Amino acid sequence: MRRETALMPASSLYKGRAFRIAVEASTAGCADLAILSAGLGYVAGGTPIPGYDLTIRPTGPGSIVSKITDGVDAARWWSAVKKGPFSSDPLRDARGRASILVCLSRGYADMVERDLIAISRIDGLELRIFGLSLAGHLDEALRPFVLPYDKRLDLLGRPGTRVDFPQRALLDYVTHIVPASAGTLEADRQAVADRLAPVVTQRPSRKQRRLPDDEIRALVADLIPKLGGASTRVLRHLRDVAQVSCEQSRFAKIFNDVKRGVT
């Protein structure tokens, strides 16, 4: 990594939808942006970094789980990558700040939990954590900081998937909760609960159809021109309107194949 010369700011390198929502939230909140990177450590948004492919998630070509043969300890891995040339010290960065807002999946929570506990104990700092069904997975010391967003957000805020749920919750918090916030954890938790309360989650049960790849491919090819080519919009239409069952990774492969053919 130290020899790598092809670098760009971290805030420009990542192209995923979840990350772009996080960028949108940081802009809306006039906040600094940082990345919890399984490859590079704690990376400030303006830090020039190389392209890489490493993740703590258990599947995919970039998964560290498939590369470490003697067992993966997420916290130990995080401790190691934080020593890399592009990483900053998250605790040092947190000191002196008024608040820290963190988006987490379960895998990344396992990786950074110890640092978050230390951050939560910094005097004068307000910690907020965003994730789907995350509180029960975290150490007891961190559970109060997980704001009570749940699947009702899908019907209230910007639609999306489980993968980008933490970032969508963050954006909702910055947009709708912070402007009227009293600044305390209890007030923010209550404000989120009040915002979600009117949302009715029960829908008439619908049995989705399972179709072979070629039929889904034909549906996707028909929907892309009509819906503007956004994968999340096509998947939502496929599931909610066409009532077709399609697992996300399977859909992503079909969508990308069709998109290349369409364009």
Side-chain angles (χ1 to χ4, degrees):
M1 288 193 294
R2 295 184 188 280
R3 292 194 298 268
E4 182 60 57
T5 58
L7 309 175
M8 70 170 61
S11 59
S12 301
L13 178 68
Y14 301 91
K15 303 299 182 184
R17 182 173 185 269
F19 185 80
R20 302 325 302 178
I21 295 173
V23 171
E24 182 180 345
S26 72
T27 301
C30 299
D32 293 332
L33 179 73
I35 299 96
L36 302 173
S37 165
L40 303 179
Y42 178 77
V43 180
T47 300
I49 62 173
Y52 70 97
D53 182 16
L54 281 174
T55 179
I56 197 72
R57 296 188 182 96
T59 59
S63 173
I64 66 167
V65 176
S66 64
K67 302 178 187 298
I68 299 176
T69 58
D70 59 349
V72 175
D73 183 312
R76 185 179 171 202
W77 174 264
W78 178 244
S79 179
V81 297
K82 280 194 303 179
K83 299 173 183 176
F86 302 102
S87 181
S88 303
D89 182 346
L91 268 68
R92 183 180 303 166
D93 184 58
R95 293 189 180 96
R97 293 188 181 274
S99 63
I100 300 287
L101 313 179
V102 185
C103 295
L104 286 178
S105 66
R106 291 189 177 190
Y108 280 75
D110 291 338
M111 194 170 67
V112 303
E113 188 173 67
R114 294 175 188 172
D115 278 351
L116 289 181
I117 291 173
I119 287 170
S120 73
R121 294 170 177 165
I122 296 175
D123 289 340
L125 183 143
E126 293 287 340
L127 176 64
R128 304 290 184 269
I129 299 174
F130 304 87
L132 184 60
S133 303
L134 188 62
H137 186 74
L138 287 170
D139 185 276
E140 188 175 353
L142 292 175
R143 293 175 189 176
F145 301 102
V146 181
L147 292 185
Y149 281 102
D150 56 35
K151 291 182 179 180
R152 287 175 291 177
L153 180 67
D154 294 344
L155 302 177
L156 182 68
R158 183 176 302 183
T161 66
R162 291 181 62 90
V163 173
D164 60 31
F165 178 91
Q167 289 77 15
R168 290 187 290 118
L170 168 67
L171 181 61
D172 188 87
Y173 173 78
V174 169
T175 305
H176 296 283
I177 305 300
V178 169
S181 173
T184 67
L185 177 60
E186 294 76 10
D188 282 359
R189 290 182 62 86
Q190 186 60 52
V192 171
D194 291 344
R195 176 159 166 75
L196 295 176
V199 180
V200 178
T201 57
Q202 292 183 345
R203 297 178 177 179
S205 59
R206 296 179 297 184
K207 187 174 182 180
Q208 292 182 327
R209 301 172 291 154
R210 291 191 60 83
L211 297 178
D213 285 3
D214 57 343
E215 292 188 32
I216 294 179
R217 191 173 289 109
L219 284 171
V220 170
D222 182 60
L223 289 172
I224 286 177
K226 296 177 181 178
L227 300 179
S231 62
T232 53
R233 191 174 299 171
V234 173
L235 179 57
R236 181 69 63 183
H237 186 98
L238 198 68
R239 289 174 171 173
D240 295 347
V241 179
Q243 299 183 31
V244 172
S245 171
C246 188
E247 193 271 329
Q248 190 166 339
S249 61
R250 179 189 177 207
F251 169 80
K253 183 179 186 305
I254 292 173
F255 179 88
N256 289 332
D257 288 346
V258 172
K259 191 75 180 288
R260 282 192 291 269
V262 168
T263 56

